[in-house]
Amino acid sequence: AASIRPSSGRTAPPLVSLPPPPSPTMKFAPSSSSPLRAASSSSSLSLLPLLFLSFGGPLPSSFVLPSVEGCTTIAVGRLATIDGSVLSSHSNDGEGTTDPRLVLVPSSSWPSDSTRKIFYSPESYPRYVGYDRASIPIREYEPGRGDNPTVSFEPLCEIPQVRRTYRYMEETYGALNERQLGISESTCSGVFGAAPRGMDHPGYGAGRACLSIDALSQIAMERHSRARDAIVRRVPDDSFAVVPNAFIIREIDADDATNYMWSDSAFDVAEKLGWWSSSSGKKLDFTATYSDGEYSHKYYSGRRSWGVYRKFAPSLDLSAEYEEWRISDPYPFAARPDAKLCVEDVAMVMRSYYEDTPYSQAGNSSSKLNLLAGGPWKSPDHVAGDNSTPGIVGNWERTVGLYRTSDSYIAQSRSYLPDAAGGILWYGPYAAPYASYVPFAGGMTSLPRSATSGHHMRLDKTTLFWANRYVGNYARLKWIDTMREVKAFQGRMMGEFLELQSDVDALVVAALHRHRDISDPDYDSVSYERAVADAVDLYSDNAERTVSLTWDLADHLMFKYADGQIHSTPESPLGTHTPPRAYDARGSTVREAEVIDQPGYPNEWLEKVGYGDGPPPPPNCEELEWRCGHADDDNNNNNEPHRTRTQSQSRTQQAQDDETEGGNLRGGGDEEGTINEEMAEEEDGDDDNKGGADDDDNDDDDDEETTMMGEAWREYLAKKREAYEGGRSACKSRGDVAAALLSGGGRKECAAAAPDNNGNDDDDDDDDDDDPVKEDRKFVQDREDGTTDGVSAK
């Protein structure tokens, strides 16, 4: 539908005639001579309407009426679907204030002299407050209820009311009525527009228009069972079409009343302004004449068209590039899909980010565009742009799936089923990539609170909107990994929904067969209506269950990916429990918990953000000439550790002295020797090292401290060795490496596990000869190869 934009104040005669609806028992039979078919008989949604409200003066470039920021609509004809459905999708891509609630407007009977009041449509919450939309109060719109203000909206104008209006579901726009008529909207730029009556706008003046697209869609739901509006081109039954915030109707064929409908003003205004001449012999190009081009940036609309055609009709091999939307006419009005489509296919495209293309905004394929844009986990949700970054010129790709969508839906009409079950609204509150499309039938006389409540201005965990919003925000914790689980959940839920739909269809058809002959004396309309009501109400129970399961998904994502960890949940795909470590009678671990504590960031992202330019490793004390507190005394007996040295360095110095004197940590070169044997020799004493038991030259305090340090070091190495041989050492410290060395001839595993300065396992870098960790690793390897005689001082 055309965007609602201000005009100069001039108004044109109404373009839309709104006749009263037919009797609820009346059926429209398809006619070969009629361009329109009934919702109950054929493809009611295979017409693509573009509504023009009025034609006024040119639109001042400085004024934009606040509205939804963009929407994507996809229409699919009945012969292009697997089951003969007509499908039409809509996304409400506003910002954080758009009202996402799904509200049921009841059918009503009106007095003969009543009027239909028309209200301003703000689209943000609350979109309406008052009692005038139906003959009985609508709970969600009652003044003073919930977050609604106590004051009702005042009407902009009034039009004559009809005697009876249909029941229908609406979000910001009318969506699906009880006769299977569905409407999908896509705001388009236009060189003309209309401002609301009586509202002043700086630099523009007071508006005079009565009807917005929001109000027109509601009136259509109330009064019509057929797709019928001011300017229309029919989508062929075997094709699909895309409206991406830009007009797609090009030349109007005034001789083809089967596929086109129009208002005479479309031609009259163009000729009056000199934009087209009836005497030229050329057809009027509607888009070239009345479109104002793409919003925001080049490809804002066209890339989405290309994205849908790429999915549904890849054989067309359409280009993603073009000169300008109006000039280039880059894509067909409609096309046949390469394979027949279904609800799941439309849902998939409504969630798409151009994955696996050069324009991808999500996942691994987005790295072709920018490694930093989506963060380490490559999220497509870019929450900043020109509107919030003044002075920075640029744009993100406009995708079909969008984080700022308040809600989206897919209207499904199946003329081969009774209206009560044939019309289904697949409703997805919040952004489509994170939402499940939950089915609601046109025959339902009430909707569950989980759908009718929930908006941006109040957290409400009983609603579908907030359950999906939590999932979306949790998914950003680690987008690539979490979205695998979100998509799997959506797939499981869609499978269950389709099974439910099949069950409800069968129940309604069975009830119809039991009561099909109204002349039967046993015919009981009350029983029939009750059976149908009970069947379609199963959709309400399903919605409540979906809320609960979606919260289970949100809790699962929070648990599994909290704080950068990854917790295994083997007991359930939506689990929130990881089996803890198993232990023996002493409390010693025999099986670790299945938790990845620090899975790390992708290397390519770390390189881009300058991780390698961060603080260096700790300085090496030897390179600092032991100024870091490890004093070296050449006159000190090197066979005894100095009191100021750490235990480990004292011990390694002792080992170096042993090596210098031809000794070996393993006891004279015996490869089966142990550290315990060497320590025993030291304790028993020898002439070279002990220096006499009765020597009084050494202070008793020195002897005591040295002994304590030696005992602590021996105990440390012994425990390290025990841990390594028991498979419980992670080979992270130098003590681990030493313990590995002392265990049965050395272990290559510890050498392989010891990282170099760059966190890599690559030995090819010869620039790190002074790296102590690398030298330890090399020493262990040399011991294994038999090329090292003793223990390195490090």
Side-chain angles (χ1 to χ4, degrees):
S3 60
I4 311 308
R5 302 299 195 196
S7 68
S8 64
R10 302 198 312 270
T11 57
L15 302 180
V16 183
S17 174
L18 300 172
S23 164
T25 60
M26 181 178 179
K27 296 287 184 179
F28 281 96
S31 170
S32 60
S33 62
S34 172
L36 300 169
R37 295 188 176 186
S40 58
S41 303
S42 186
S43 53
S44 64
L45 297 181
S46 62
L47 296 174
L48 184 67
L50 293 173
L51 302 177
F52 264 86
L53 311 182
S54 65
F55 288 99
L59 170 65
S61 60
S62 61
F63 176 79
V64 176
L65 186 66
S67 67
V68 168
E69 298 298 321
C71 310
T72 305
T73 292
I74 301 170
V76 187
R78 63 185 178 86
L79 298 181
T81 60
I82 292 173
D83 64 348
S85 296
V86 176
L87 305 174
S88 184
S89 69
H90 160 76
S91 61
N92 222 5
D93 299 337
E95 294 293 347
T97 61
T98 306
D99 193 340
R101 296 173 298 163
L102 185 66
V103 173
L104 187 75
V105 178
S107 60
S108 300
S109 297
W110 304 94
S112 58
D113 59 347
S114 60
T115 59
R116 205 288 191 186
K117 295 179 175 61
I118 310 296
F119 298 92
Y120 172 60
S121 304
E123 298 186 344
S124 56
Y125 178 87
R127 60 181 178 247
Y128 171 73
V129 177
Y131 295 103
D132 294 310
R133 293 286 307 283
S135 58
I136 60 175
I138 302 172
R139 177 184 177 87
E140 292 75 23
Y141 294 153
E142 289 184 28
R145 181 177 292 277
D147 292 316
N148 291 343
T150 58
V151 179
S152 298
F153 282 21
E154 295 183 359
L156 297 176
C157 58
E158 298 178 1
I159 62 174
Q161 183 60 284
V162 296
R163 295 299 300 273
R164 183 184 179 275
T165 52
Y166 291 131
R167 179 180 64 248
Y168 65 99
M169 290 177 276
E170 69 174 15
E171 34 99 271
T172 301
Y173 308 96
L176 180 78
N177 73 7
E178 62 180 286
R179 297 299 303 277
Q180 299 199 51
L181 177 64
I183 286 184
S184 297
E185 177 272 352
S186 183
T187 306
C188 303
S189 72
V191 295
F192 296 123
R197 180 173 297 181
M199 295 189 179
D200 293 327
H201 301 286
Y204 180 77
R208 299 184 182 182
C210 173
L211 298 170
S212 69
I213 179 58
D214 313 69
L216 280 172
S217 69
Q218 294 160 0
I219 294 171
M221 291 286 95
E222 293 167 3
R223 302 185 177 200
H224 287 274
S225 64
R226 302 180 298 175
R228 181 175 183 172
D229 270 307
I231 216 164
V232 164
R233 180 175 175 183
R234 181 185 181 90
V235 178
D237 285 344
D238 63 352
S239 301
F240 70 93
V242 189
V243 187
N245 295 132
F247 295 149
I248 66 170
I249 295 177
R250 305 298 301 202
E251 293 182 341
I252 301 174
D253 187 348
D255 297 324
D256 186 356
T258 299
N259 293 301
Y260 291 87
M261 293 180 64
W262 61 89
S263 165
D264 289 340
S265 60
F267 297 92
D268 297 342
V269 172
E271 189 153 28
K272 180 179 179 181
L273 295 175
W275 296 345
W276 171 81
S277 172
S278 58
S279 61
S280 66
K282 295 181 179 179
K283 296 176 181 178
L284 175 67
D285 186 327
F286 183 82
T287 295
T289 303
Y290 292 115
S291 173
D292 200 30
E294 295 179 270
Y295 291 149
S296 301
H297 59 76
K298 185 178 181 180
Y299 307 126
Y300 184 86
S301 296
R303 196 80 84 205
R304 278 177 281 162
S305 288
W306 170 81
V308 177
Y309 281 109
R310 170 181 166 268
K311 289 289 188 180
F312 289 170
S315 62
L316 294 178
D317 194 24
L318 297 172
S319 174
E321 309 285 337
Y322 52 85
E323 181 181 1
E324 197 272 342
W325 181 258
R326 293 164 292 184
I327 296 173
S328 302
D329 190 10
Y331 306 112
F333 168 77
R336 295 184 181 92
D338 286 2
K340 290 195 174 185
L341 305 172
C342 59
V343 171
E344 302 99 297
D345 295 321
V346 176
M348 175 268 295
V349 169
M350 294 298 289
R351 296 172 174 138
S352 64
Y353 296 105
Y354 313 137
E355 296 92 330
D356 302 318
T357 77
Y359 314 104
S360 175
Q361 299 293 293
N364 289 324
S365 60
S366 66
S367 62
K368 300 174 184 176
L369 183 68
N370 193 319
L371 285 172
L372 301 182
W377 314 123
K378 300 176 182 177
S379 166
D381 298 334
H382 309 316
V383 299
D386 277 348
N387 60 330
S388 58
T389 53
I392 304 296
V393 178
N395 293 291
W396 303 111
E397 286 281 348
R398 173 52 159 99
T399 54
V400 180
L402 200 63
Y403 78 93
R404 58 178 171 84
T405 301
S406 65
D407 65 280
S408 62
Y409 63 76
I410 304 169
Q412 180 182 28
S413 297
R414 298 175 294 170
S415 61
Y416 48 86
L417 287 172
D419 287 344
I424 298 292
L425 191 75
W426 298 83
Y427 171 62
Y430 190 58
Y434 309 113
S436 295
Y437 282 104
V438 183
F440 296 98
M444 298 174 70
T445 57
S446 65
L447 295 175
R449 185 183 179 280
S450 59
T452 62
S453 300
H455 55 85
H456 300 81
M457 301 300 118
R458 180 182 294 276
L459 174 61
D460 187 345
K461 292 189 175 183
T462 67
T463 64
L464 285 163
F465 174 82
W466 273 103
N468 291 335
R469 199 179 196 194
Y470 259 75
V471 166
N473 281 270
Y474 281 159
R476 297 184 190 108
L477 289 172
K478 200 167 189 180
W479 199 90
I480 292 178
D481 292 334
T482 57
M483 283 307 294
R484 293 191 188 100
E485 304 204 38
V486 172
K487 290 178 180 179
F489 175 82
Q490 291 169 336
R492 291 194 301 271
M493 297 306 295
M494 178 59 79
E496 294 180 13
F497 296 161
L498 291 171
E499 289 183 10
L500 173 64
Q501 183 186 39
S502 179
D503 292 342
V504 172
D505 292 348
L507 290 171
V508 172
V509 170
L512 178 65
H513 288 168
R514 288 195 302 268
H515 305 281
R516 72 187 320 166
D517 187 1
I518 61 174
S519 63
D520 189 330
D522 295 328
Y523 175 78
D524 184 356
S525 63
V526 175
S527 297
Y528 169 71
E529 292 172 359
R530 184 182 299 116
V532 171
D534 290 344
V536 297
D537 279 349
L538 293 174
Y539 288 120
S540 289
D541 298 336
N542 176 69
E544 298 303 301
R545 176 175 174 271
T546 302
V547 173
S548 177
L549 290 175
T550 305
W551 278 113
D552 288 346
L553 172 62
D555 290 343
H556 167 74
L557 296 178
M558 181 61 177
F559 171 80
K560 183 170 182 177
Y561 298 101
D563 300 324
Q565 296 178 328
I566 301 178
H567 286 73
S568 173
T569 57
E571 299 173 2
S572 168
L574 298 180
T576 54
H577 172 255
T578 297
R581 71 181 181 94
Y583 53 88
D584 60 20
R586 297 173 300 173
S588 179
T589 300
V590 296
R591 178 183 53 76
E592 295 287 353
E594 295 183 25
V595 178
I596 302 176
D597 185 41
Q598 294 180 357
Y601 293 106
N603 288 347
E604 57 183 1
W605 184 82
L606 288 173
E607 293 173 358
K608 286 291 184 180
V609 298
Y611 176 75
D613 298 329
N620 185 294
C621 282
E622 184 178 9
E623 294 174 353
L624 297 176
E625 299 179 350
W626 304 106
R627 287 182 289 112
C628 49
H630 303 265
D632 191 12
D633 186 355
D634 292 337
N635 297 322
N636 186 51
N637 183 354
N638 287 333
N639 295 324
E640 295 291 345
H642 196 283
R643 287 185 302 177
T644 61
R645 297 177 185 175
T646 64
Q647 296 172 9
S648 64
Q649 286 176 323
S650 298
R651 186 58 199 162
T652 52
Q653 182 63 50
Q654 177 69 44
Q656 185 183 39
D657 294 342
D658 289 344
E659 179 186 1
T660 302
E661 297 182 12
N664 189 293
L665 192 60
R666 297 184 177 275
D670 183 0
E671 290 299 315
E672 298 302 322
T674 67
I675 186 67
N676 290 336
E677 294 172 354
E678 190 274 338
M679 291 179 177
E681 291 175 4
E682 181 181 298
E683 291 173 355
D684 291 341
D686 59 54
D687 293 341
D688 292 333
N689 293 331
K690 191 170 183 181
D694 298 329
D695 190 347
D696 295 332
D697 294 337
N698 294 326
D699 187 89
D700 292 342
D701 292 339
D702 291 348
D703 292 341
E704 180 179 0
E705 182 173 355
T706 299
T707 300
M708 292 175 62
M709 293 172 64
E711 291 176 353
W713 173 242
R714 286 194 294 274
E715 181 180 4
Y716 168 75
L717 271 186
K719 288 186 177 296
K720 277 290 183 181
R721 178 184 173 189
E722 178 185 355
Y724 184 84
E725 292 179 340
R728 299 188 300 278
S729 175
C731 293
K732 291 184 177 179
S733 70
R734 298 186 194 179
D736 296 328
V737 176
L741 171 67
L742 298 173
S743 299
R747 295 292 178 91
K748 290 184 178 180
E749 298 95 314
C750 238
D756 60 28
N757 281 343
N758 295 318
N760 300 317
D761 293 333
D762 187 2
D763 282 341
D764 295 336
D765 188 356
D766 295 328
D767 297 332
D768 296 325
D769 293 338
D770 295 330
D771 177 13
V773 176
K774 187 169 183 179
E775 289 188 17
D776 285 346
R777 183 178 58 176
K778 182 177 184 302
F779 171 77
V780 174
Q781 182 65 50
D782 291 343
R783 286 287 299 178
E784 180 71 17
D785 298 336
T787 58
T788 299
D789 295 327
V791 179
S792 165
K794 291 186 179 180

